[in-house]
Amino acid sequence: MSFYAYMLRCSDGSYYIGHTDALERRIAQHQHGELPRYTHNRRPVILIWSQDFPSRIEALEAERQLKGWTRAKKEALAAGDWDAVRLLSRKSFDTGLRLRSAPT
């Protein structure tokens, strides 16, 4: 079973980051207002980034780390701009989280 960390762009321009074991179902729940929290009044939402992980704990760790990133760094990740992600990092890029870069 795979688990996913994901990032949505909301209709107000904000970003929502979460994790799930069923990505398509979770996006549909956000889109249809079935989840009563942050995204409910910020629809429609657009999936702008996701990555699969082998365990729920790794997906949750990715979610927590991404929530601490600046807006610019989140945008660089969504764009697949790894040079910008590195430049925007406050610490060394090797934080233990293994996000995959986009294929070249």
Side-chain angles (χ1 to χ4, degrees):
M1 173 180 257
S2 289
F3 298 88
Y4 302 88
Y6 64 94
M7 183 171 16
L8 305 175
R9 180 178 300 119
C10 300
S11 63
D12 65 358
S14 64
Y15 296 118
Y16 175 84
I17 297 169
H19 79 281
T20 185
D21 61 357
L23 185 59
E24 289 182 23
R25 179 174 53 90
R26 180 55 55 90
I27 302 309
Q29 289 174 317
H30 283 292
Q31 204 64 274
H32 292 90
E34 295 172 15
L35 303 172
R37 296 192 181 186
Y38 189 84
T39 59
H40 187 267
N41 293 323
R42 292 174 171 87
R43 294 176 286 141
V45 297
I46 299 167
L47 177 66
I48 60 171
W49 175 85
S50 68
Q51 182 176 317
D52 62 312
F53 292 87
S55 71
R56 182 175 302 278
I57 193 71
E58 289 172 276
L60 177 59
E61 288 171 357
E63 173 188 345
R64 288 180 176 161
Q65 183 173 2
L66 295 173
K67 284 182 174 181
W69 285 12
T70 64
R71 180 177 184 85
K73 193 170 174 182
K74 291 173 188 173
E75 290 171 349
L77 174 65
D81 186 347
W82 290 98
D83 290 334
V85 170
R86 285 182 192 94
L87 287 172
L88 293 164
S89 293
R90 287 182 236 153
K91 297 188 255 181
S92 168
F93 185 71
D94 186 11
T95 60
L97 179 62
R98 298 291 178 236
L99 299 176
R100 289 187 297 272
S101 58
T104 54

